[in-house]
Amino acid sequence: MENTENKEQLQTSERKKRIFSGIQPTGVFTLGNYLGAVKNWSKLQDEYDCIYSIVNMHAITLRQDPAELRRRTIESYALAMACGIDPDKSILFIQSHVPAHAEANWVLGCTTQFGELSRMTQFKDKSAKHADNINAGLFTYPVLMAGDILLYQADVVPVGIDQKQHLELARNIAERFNGLYGKTFTVPEPYIPSAQGGAKIMSLTDPTKKMSKSDENPRSCVLILDEPNVIIKKFKSAITDSESEVCYREGKDGINNLMTIYSAVTGFSFESIEREFAGKGYGDFKLAVGEAVAEHLAPVRENYARYIADKGYLEECYKRGAERAERIANRTLEKMYKKVGFVAR
C-alpha cells in the first residue's frame, strides 16, 4: 500500500501541471483574441498538460440555430487546430461528446448556493441583453463551467477579466466539496501570462475600446481569416491622430495600438519601431502594420483551409479527443458519485 501511495505521489510531482481552457463556438477569432491569448496555445503545450474543449453546451444558454451551431462547432475545432493546438500533444474535444460534463453539473449544482449564482455579473448583463430568454441554464452555467475545470483536475485556467468571477466560484465549489466529502478536486489557480504573453488589442476605429466582432463598424475589427487585401485595407483606414510621429506615448491611442500590434507580430521593440519609421508618415506605418499582420496570419488561414476541407480527419480527431477526455472525466465523476453516496453501477 505504501509503495503504491509513494508511486502515485512521485507521478504527481513529476507530471506537468494541467491547464484547461474552454473555447466558445462563436465563429472566427479576432486579431485581439489571437494576439491576446490564442497565439500562445502552441507554446503552452510544451510547458503544460493541455486540455481544450469546444464548449457547445455553454452556447445554448442563448438561442441558437441548430444547423449553424453544428457548423460553427466544427469550424471552431478546425480553427483551434489551425492556431496551433496539436491533437496529439493536447486533448482537444467537443464538450457535448463527454456526458460527464452534464452529470457533474447536477452534483456540483447541489453543492452551489443560490446566492453565489445570483451575484454573477455576467448573468445580470446577459439577462439585460436577452430579456426574452432568461432561462435557468443562463443562471446555472457557471456551475457547468466549474465542472469543465474540476472534472479534469486542472491546476491552472487561463481567464480573461470577464471570467475571473467564474473561476473564483469554481474554486469555492471545489473547496466546499473537498471540505464536505474529503479531497476530491484540485483547486485551480488562474493562469497569468508573462508580460510578453498577451497583447491588449484595441479597435482600429476607436482605440479607446477593445477590438470586438460586435462593433457596428466592420473596419474596427480584423478577423484572423480575413484575406490579406481586406486586412491591409482595414489598417489603412485605422484612426490615428493629427500628428505625424510614430512613437508610443500618452494621448496617441491609435498609434500606440498600431505599435502594439506591429510589435506583437514582428517581435520588434517600441524603440526599434520608432527608429524604423523615424521621418516617415502614418501612411507608411499603417501599410507596414497591415502587411505584417497579413503575413503573420497566413499560416493560420492556410492551415484552416486544409483542415476544414478534410471532414474525415476532423471527425477522427474530435472522436479521439472525446475518448481521451472521457477517460479522465469519468475517473473524477466516479469519485464524485462515490463521495456523495450514489450506488456504483
Side-chain angles (χ1 to χ4, degrees):
M1 182 69 178
E2 271 186 34
N3 287 339
T4 303
E5 286 179 359
N6 290 340
K7 188 177 179 182
E8 286 180 356
Q9 287 172 358
L10 185 63
Q11 287 174 340
T12 301
S13 64
E14 286 180 345
R15 77 169 175 85
K16 292 179 181 178
K17 284 192 172 183
R18 180 171 289 159
I19 199 165
F20 177 90
S21 188
I23 303 158
Q24 284 267 11
T26 54
V28 181
F29 304 126
T30 69
L31 180 66
N33 300 142
Y34 181 75
L35 296 180
V38 176
K39 181 184 171 188
N40 297 303
W41 285 347
S42 58
K43 296 175 187 174
L44 290 175
Q45 293 175 121
D46 296 324
E47 189 179 345
Y48 292 93
D49 173 16
C50 293
I51 300 178
Y52 296 103
S53 177
I54 309 299
V55 287
N56 58 333
M57 292 169 71
H58 288 291
I60 64 170
T61 57
L62 304 178
R63 290 197 184 98
Q64 304 286 338
D65 175 88
E68 189 177 334
L69 177 59
R70 274 189 289 273
R71 176 182 59 78
R72 285 205 318 267
T73 300
I74 299 299
E75 288 175 350
S76 296
Y77 194 97
L79 191 60
M81 288 172 60
C83 289
I85 295 181
D86 182 340
D88 292 321
K89 278 186 179 180
S90 300
I91 295 176
L92 176 61
F93 72 102
I94 296 170
Q95 184 186 27
S96 62
H97 287 176
V98 180
H101 288 258
E103 295 182 68
N105 184 42
W106 175 252
V107 176
L108 296 178
C110 295
T111 319
T112 307
Q113 300 302 301
F114 184 90
E116 291 177 305
L117 294 176
S118 65
R119 289 192 291 273
M120 293 287 122
T121 55
Q122 277 209 335
F123 172 71
K124 295 171 186 174
D125 294 343
K126 288 188 177 181
S127 297
K129 288 180 184 175
H130 305 277
D132 61 331
N133 184 28
I134 307 175
N135 57 73
L138 189 63
F139 185 69
T140 62
Y141 92 93
V143 181
L144 179 61
M145 186 181 291
D148 298 340
I149 298 164
L150 301 180
L151 275 172
Y152 299 96
Q153 306 292 352
D155 298 288
V156 286
V157 181
V159 285
I161 192 165
D162 57 337
Q163 297 293 349
K164 281 185 178 178
Q165 196 180 28
H166 289 154
L167 181 60
E168 194 55 42
L169 178 67
R171 287 172 52 81
N172 291 344
I173 292 171
E175 288 168 348
R176 183 178 300 126
F177 196 98
N178 288 349
L180 289 169
Y181 301 109
K183 173 67 175 171
T184 310
F185 300 120
T186 300
V187 180
E189 297 289 340
Y191 170 75
I192 310 296
S194 64
Q196 296 80 25
K200 187 176 182 182
I201 307 302
M202 312 304 281
S203 162
L204 296 184
T205 57
D206 182 357
T208 63
K209 296 193 307 186
K210 188 178 175 182
M211 183 178 284
S212 171
K213 281 187 292 189
S214 61
D215 197 303
E216 293 179 1
N217 189 338
R219 293 180 302 163
S220 70
C221 172
V222 173
L223 302 177
I224 64 171
L225 296 182
D226 279 346
E227 290 296 325
N229 62 316
V230 173
I231 293 173
I232 291 168
K233 191 174 181 181
K234 286 180 179 179
F235 276 102
K236 280 184 174 179
S237 64
I239 296 297
T240 51
D241 54 57
S242 58
E243 299 178 3
S244 59
E245 185 183 5
V246 176
C247 65
Y248 195 99
R249 67 166 180 256
E250 191 174 343
K252 293 175 72 70
D253 294 333
I255 288 295
N256 293 349
N257 187 40
L258 294 180
M259 288 181 69
T260 299
I261 293 169
Y262 193 59
S263 174
V265 299
T266 63
F268 298 155
S269 67
F270 289 163
E271 291 79 7
S272 64
I273 295 170
E274 288 173 6
R275 285 196 300 272
E276 181 184 353
F277 291 94
K280 297 180 182 178
Y282 285 171
D284 290 337
F285 180 51
K286 290 196 283 187
L287 175 62
V289 179
E291 289 175 341
V293 169
E295 183 180 351
H296 184 79
L297 293 176
V300 175
R301 290 192 300 273
E302 291 162 8
N303 288 337
Y304 176 78
R306 187 171 73 255
Y307 291 136
I308 203 66
D310 193 344
K311 295 296 193 293
Y313 177 65
L314 281 177
E315 184 175 345
E316 178 190 320
C317 288
Y318 65 66
K319 281 184 176 178
R320 182 159 45 94
E323 288 167 2
R324 292 173 65 196
E326 199 163 36
R327 282 196 290 272
I328 300 170
N330 283 350
R331 281 200 298 271
T332 302
L333 186 68
E334 285 171 16
K335 191 185 291 187
M336 291 168 62
Y337 275 15
K338 184 177 180 180
K339 291 288 181 75
V340 299
F342 289 173
V343 176
R345 296 177 187 177

